Amino acid sequence: MATAADEQAHQRKASELFVEALENEGVEYVFAVPGEENLDLLDALRTSKQIRLILTRHEQGAAFMAATYGRLTGKAGVCMATLGPGATNFATPAAYAHLGAFPMIMITGQKPIKKSKQGQFQIVDIVQLFKPICKMARQIVNGNTIPALVREAFRIAEEERPGAVLLELPEDIAAEPCDAHPIPPHPRYYAEASDAVLQTVADLLIKAKHPLVLVGAGANRKHAREAIHAFVHQLQIPFFTTQMGKGVVDESSPLYLGTAALSDDDYLHAYIHQADLIINIGHDVVEKPPFFMEPAGQTVVHVNYRAAQVDQVYFPQVEVVGDLALSLSHLTRMLEGKLSVDLTLFNKVKADVAHRIAEAEDDDRCPILPQRLVKDIRSVMRDHDIIALDNGVYKIWFARNYPAHQPNTILLDNALATMGAGLPSAMMASMLHPESHVMAICGDGGFMMNSQELETAVRLKLNLVVLVLNDGSYGMIRWKQAGAGMPDWGLEFGNPDFVAYANSYGAHGHRIQSAAEFKTVVAKAFADGGVHLIDCPVDYSMNRKLLIDDLRKNHALHAKH
């Protein structure tokens, strides 16, 4: 039996217990912009032999990196900020993780809660502020509750559907003595869907003439990818993807139709509309709809870890709820040798899609067309290399025209679709995959929102290429403005000298002068190593024709038939 002396000898600060609990969860990094209220926790991290502190230049950079760690590993990334303005700077990344389903733990500081020493200075009710954009938000009011709260935070953040969790550690609680112990984590298992519903789906597939598989963001789970690949290829069912489902199944497959980068009327929708059964694996209604459901329309089967969230354009008639790998493997065994899918129409539409989206991809003009950039980047990047996109109109071109051959090799955000995340996401990918070439692809508007993280990338000695698509405007909104028939007004700005800007951080700046030199510059940057910024002028003048006018004509043509 432990004596009072034994218990006293084991006591340590709550901040030290907190770090023990993080180590217990296998945490490798804490991304942070610390403040006065985090000093005890910062000092406890100093002595950790497991956790590395990554100091960033803005709280957004820290949290975007943590969210991307969660996205790439399936384990919650951890970030830390102080109270007030430090914590509120986590709001956009919290929403990014919440909508994108990326597991992340945010740790924020707070003034002492037992005794006020500065009135209401810098105090914002962060817990209440973050509850709508987190799976859990809690203030720690007793140091001995830390092990249970940290274990619960990681469980909630990582289980389906993953997301963000916030823990607020007040300054006085962080300093108080504790004698609690971390709680060991354990694996999480999901049940297999019932035999009855799997038989229902099997019967529907046997009767279908033109079944089609949709691979969404929720299908991008390590243990499920092999089963999804087997389901598609052993049964020979065509598939298409959402933007965030790219790469789950190798897109060099002859069964790949394309990516639904637009909600409707794109060329691949000619086949989607003809499909009589859509098997929707891992779809999440936070993504832009890859197709619209209509009353008395197609039969849609929802396959996911959780029941469908019904929306005006998504109300599946059958739901297969449970572990994706177990459910799909079972369904594949039930159906093997029993399906005969007619691919005649599929092959015709697939060929048309490939031809249409390739228009002008060999154009030599400079500023460079986005479709030419996509083709050239794809030719330089190997199958396992990674591109991380910020948010802008170029994202549509990469979603449609950049085939992904492995999971998580094209990181884009089609949920919150925030600007400013591209560079930190690429930095995290480079840290986790030093053997891969990693490129951040940013518009000039989005890049400048977190461009200061170039210093962090240089300090971390990352190998990273940052491509800045320079058109001197908020290009996505200009495209929408043109599509609405409005005058081109109010969305242009000036930029710094990006080459000099990169050099000032100790990175290497390059400026593209012709389309012909682009691939050479990119390849040499990867070969040389280090952090490189490439200032590339981009020409979006064909966007209205190719992404609005031509698609309207295509829709009108199909409507007549």
Side-chain angles (χ1 to χ4, degrees), residues 76-119:
V78 180
C79 53
M80 179 175 73
T82 190
L83 81 170
T88 58
N89 280 341
F90 275 169
T92 297
Y96 174 77
H98 179 63
L99 268 67
F102 310 141
M104 176 173 72
I105 306 292
M106 297 172 288
I107 306 164
T108 57
Q110 188 53 274
K111 295 293 184 186
I113 57 174
K114 296 178 181 178
K115 183 179 178 181
S116 172
K117 63 178 183 179
Q118 290 182 317

Side-chain angles (χ1 to χ4, degrees), residues 125-142:
D125 190 340
I126 295 298
V127 171
Q128 289 300 319
L129 179 68
F130 275 73
K131 278 186 176 179
I133 49 175
C134 287
K135 294 182 76 178
M136 180 178 94
R138 295 282 294 274
Q139 183 185 71
I140 299 171
V141 298
N142 185 302

Side-chain angles (χ1 to χ4, degrees), residues 440-501:
I441 300 171
C442 311
D444 44 5
F447 171 72
M448 289 304 295
M449 290 185 179
N450 275 308
S451 64
Q452 70 283 347
E453 298 304 342
L454 275 178
E455 188 279 326
T456 308
V458 170
R459 176 165 29 94
L460 294 174
K461 296 181 171 59
L462 299 181
N463 294 315
L464 179 67
V465 172
V466 182
L467 177 64
V468 179
L469 303 179
N470 189 344
D471 73 328
S473 71
Y474 292 116
M476 171 71 88
I477 310 308
R478 286 182 84 185
W479 173 60
K480 295 285 187 179
Q481 191 178 55
M486 296 178 180
D488 183 11
W489 183 83
L491 295 168
E492 295 177 275
F493 47 68
N495 280 316
D497 180 332
F498 284 122
V499 172
Y501 186 71

Side-chain angles (χ1 to χ4, degrees), residues 237-368:
I237 306 175
F239 74 98
F240 72 113
T241 76
T242 65
Q243 292 187 40
M244 293 176 71
K246 287 183 68 65
V248 173
V249 181
D250 186 347
E251 291 169 13
S252 65
S253 168
L255 294 168
Y256 172 63
L257 177 63
T259 296
L262 302 167
S263 295
D264 209 3
D265 295 339
D266 204 350
Y267 301 110
L268 81 169
H269 287 87
Y271 189 80
I272 297 171
H273 295 321
Q274 294 298 317
D276 51 5
L277 178 66
I278 296 178
I279 308 296
N280 203 348
I281 303 173
H283 179 56
D284 194 321
V285 295
V286 302
E287 283 205 80
K288 271 190 171 182
F291 66 94
F292 295 123
M293 287 189 68
E294 297 177 356
Q298 298 152 305
T299 298
V300 175
V301 177
H302 172 88
V303 185
N304 214 327
Y305 297 92
R306 295 173 53 170
Q309 180 181 341
V310 174
D311 188 82
Q312 287 183 327
V313 297
Y314 187 63
F315 38 91
Q317 295 93 337
V318 181
E319 297 189 45
V320 178
V321 178
D323 185 280
L324 287 185
L326 295 176
S327 300
L328 289 172
S329 295
H330 190 167
L331 194 54
T332 302
R333 291 192 300 270
M334 293 171 68
L335 286 165
E336 199 158 14
K338 297 181 180 179
L339 294 189
S340 180
V341 179
D342 182 357
L343 296 177
T344 306
L345 177 60
F346 166 79
N347 289 327
K348 180 181 178 183
V349 175
K350 177 181 171 67
D352 184 56
V353 170
H355 170 71
R356 300 291 195 112
I357 67 174
E359 182 175 345
E361 66 178 11
D362 294 316
D363 194 295
D364 288 329
R365 76 183 70 179
C366 189
I368 306 176

